Amino acid sequence: MSRQKFILLQPNIIMAILVDISVIPVQSKTASASKYVKKALEIIKRSNLKFYAAPSMTTIEINDFSELANLLKELYSEILGSEVRRMETILKIDMRNDKENTIENRLAAIR
């Protein structure tokens, strides 16, 4: 799958969009969510998007909002089912127009 660049803002600066995502099974057969978190991470890995998994949410790097829509569609279609009757999703979207906005840049800034 080829990845097109979203926006070229300034010479040699390509904007990426960082999205923090947390998918929460609300009505499931068990109180533990680890089984569903593992499934969500498998789906994210298959998407070939760059990601960083943290304890309560995962940051993904996208170039186009359609990538986020496709990922959400996959997450809901594969997790929502007989064991999970309801899911909630929390999203935080971070866009910059002054410099590259990547997971690597963000992590390097705090190390």
Side-chain angles (χ1 to χ4, degrees):
M1 172 167 101
S2 71
R3 294 185 36 132
Q4 68 184 51
K5 298 302 180 189
F6 185 65
I7 297 175
L8 185 61
L9 296 166
Q10 299 175 14
N12 302 321
I13 296 179
I14 298 169
M15 184 172 72
I17 304 164
L18 297 182
V19 180
D20 290 336
I21 182 170
S22 180
V23 178
I24 305 140
V26 177
Q27 293 180 339
S28 64
K29 292 183 177 183
T30 177
S32 174
S34 60
K35 172 180 175 180
Y36 308 110
V37 170
K38 287 179 187 177
K39 181 67 175 173
L41 286 173
E42 289 172 12
I43 295 165
I44 293 168
K45 286 177 188 174
R46 277 198 328 252
S47 74
N48 293 320
L49 295 170
K50 291 181 185 177
F51 72 95
Y52 177 80
S56 62
M57 65 179 43
T58 299
T59 301
I60 60 171
E61 187 175 307
I62 61 173
N63 293 302
D64 185 289
F65 283 108
S66 65
E67 292 176 315
L68 177 59
N70 290 336
L71 178 61
L72 289 171
K73 181 179 175 183
E74 289 297 315
L75 288 168
Y76 271 76
S77 67
E78 292 194 34
I79 296 173
L80 199 61
S82 60
E83 289 186 20
V84 177
R85 295 177 32 216
R86 181 178 174 199
M87 285 175 32
E88 293 180 355
T89 303
I90 299 171
L91 297 172
K92 181 179 124 185
I93 299 172
D94 178 12
M95 294 177 67
R96 293 192 70 146
N97 65 2
D98 60 338
K99 65 180 185 176
E100 284 186 314
N101 191 28
T102 65
I103 293 170
E104 290 85 11
N105 290 350
R106 284 298 195 73
L107 291 173
I110 62 171
R111 289 188 176 144

